[in-house]
């Protein structure tokens, strides 16, 4: 499991007092984030930077640092570490406070609950609804759907479905879509066949055609 740790200042403990690679109770590395540093900084500076990253991350329970030439390898561990696989080339340090680590019961207090967000203003067209519905034409006229403030993101054209090529199918798409406030259907005979378009409108209400 991923643990949430108290904020530092922390103490840093070698598991069992030995150098080596971090290991969980299942003798695996567990989950960690890998950061590699190829800069010309000294290995000591890279190791200190790795410790600083763990200090600032409340999900970090331990870190491991190793170096191969100029390549510094920093592992930020988020699973409880209980031991090491001994190696003089790896440093595994447990984050600790008052001698306790993630493996021995150190946990952060849960953050206080956030107050609920304010209720949004009531807009009838945003209320989740389901059909059967009545279908009316704005102003009783035939035409394209129009809003006072155009927003191309508020409509979607249905493609790739035979259902969208007929009026009843387009209406059914809007019926089962609880965010749909209106639909627009076009069917035009062309020399090469019938052109059909089914457009579903969401969000702001349709005011005219």
């Amino acid at each position: 499991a991923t643990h949430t740790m108290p904020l530092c200042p922390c103490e840093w403990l070698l598991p069992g007092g030995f150098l080596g690679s971090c290991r969980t109770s299942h003798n695996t590395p567990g989950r960690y984030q890998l950061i590699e540093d190829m800069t010309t900084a000294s290995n000591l500076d890279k190791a200190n930077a790795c410790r600083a990253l763990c200090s600032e991350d409340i999900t970090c329970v331990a870190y491991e640092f190793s170096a191969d030439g100029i390549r510094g390898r920093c592992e930020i561990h988020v699973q409880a570490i209980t031991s090491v696989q001994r190696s003089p080339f790896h440093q595994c340090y447990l984050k600790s406070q008052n001698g306790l680590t993630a493996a021995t019961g150190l946990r952060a207090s849960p953050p206080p609950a956030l107050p609920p967000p304010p209720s949004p203003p009531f807009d009838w067209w945003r209320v989740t609804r389901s059909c059967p519905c009545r279908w009316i034409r704005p102003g009783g006229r035939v035409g394209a759907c129009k809003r006072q403030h155009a927003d191309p993101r508020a409509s979607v054209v249905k493609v790739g479905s035979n259902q969208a090529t007929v009026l009843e199918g387009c209406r059914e798409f809007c019926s089962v879509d609880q965010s749909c406030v209106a639909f627009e259907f076009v069917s035009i005979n062309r020399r090469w066949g019938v052109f059909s378009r089914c457009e579903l409108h969401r969000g702001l209400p349709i005011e005219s055609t």
Side-chain angles (χ1 to χ4, degrees):
T2 299
H3 299 288
T4 301
M5 302 288 288
L7 295 173
C8 286
C10 313
E11 303 141 12
W12 301 96
L13 306 180
L14 290 170
F18 301 106
L19 291 175
S21 301
C22 297
R23 289 294 182 268
T24 67
S25 59
H26 299 290
N27 198 32
T28 66
R31 293 197 306 276
Y32 63 85
Q33 177 188 6
L34 174 63
I35 300 102
E36 292 189 327
D37 188 343
M38 301 292 290
T39 66
T40 57
S42 68
N43 288 335
L44 178 59
D45 288 341
K46 293 177 182 179
N48 289 337
C50 187
R51 173 172 294 188
L53 288 173
C54 187
S55 298
E56 297 163 2
D57 187 343
I58 62 171
T59 64
C60 179
V61 299
Y63 75 90
E64 178 183 321
F65 178 78
S66 60
D68 180 9
I70 67 166
R71 176 174 169 263
R73 178 185 171 92
C74 173
E75 296 177 4
I76 302 298
H77 286 261
V78 297
Q79 278 187 278
I81 298 299
T82 59
S83 62
V84 294
Q85 180 176 308
R86 295 193 194 184
S87 166
F89 307 108
H90 296 80
Q91 307 170 28
C92 175
Y93 283 94
L94 306 180
K95 184 186 286 185
S96 170
Q97 284 188 354
N98 299 320
L100 291 177
T101 67
T104 55
L106 182 62
R107 301 287 187 276
S109 300
L114 297 175
S119 299
F122 177 76
D123 293 324
W124 67 266
W125 61 85
R126 299 187 191 279
V127 177
T128 300
R129 65 187 73 78
S130 59
C131 284
C133 313
R134 288 177 52 228
W135 302 95
I136 59 175
R137 290 173 174 159
R141 297 191 301 270
V142 176
C145 295
K146 285 186 170 49
R147 292 184 170 93
Q148 182 178 358
H149 303 289
D151 184 356
R153 298 170 300 176
S155 64
V156 60
V157 177
K158 302 296 290 187
V159 295
S161 170
N162 289 333
Q163 181 180 339
T165 63
V166 294
L167 174 65
E168 293 77 10
C170 188
R171 179 184 296 163
E172 179 64 19
F173 274 125
C174 189
S175 297
V176 299
D177 186 338
Q178 294 182 332
S179 64
C180 181
V181 298
F183 75 92
E184 178 183 319
F185 180 76
V186 178
S187 182
I188 304 173
N189 288 317
R190 304 286 194 187
R191 282 183 298 178
W192 42 262
V194 178
F195 168 78
S196 299
R197 175 186 171 96
C198 174
E199 187 171 296
L200 305 185
H201 290 265
R202 298 175 174 139
L204 294 175
I206 299 300
E207 297 164 336
S208 62
T209 58

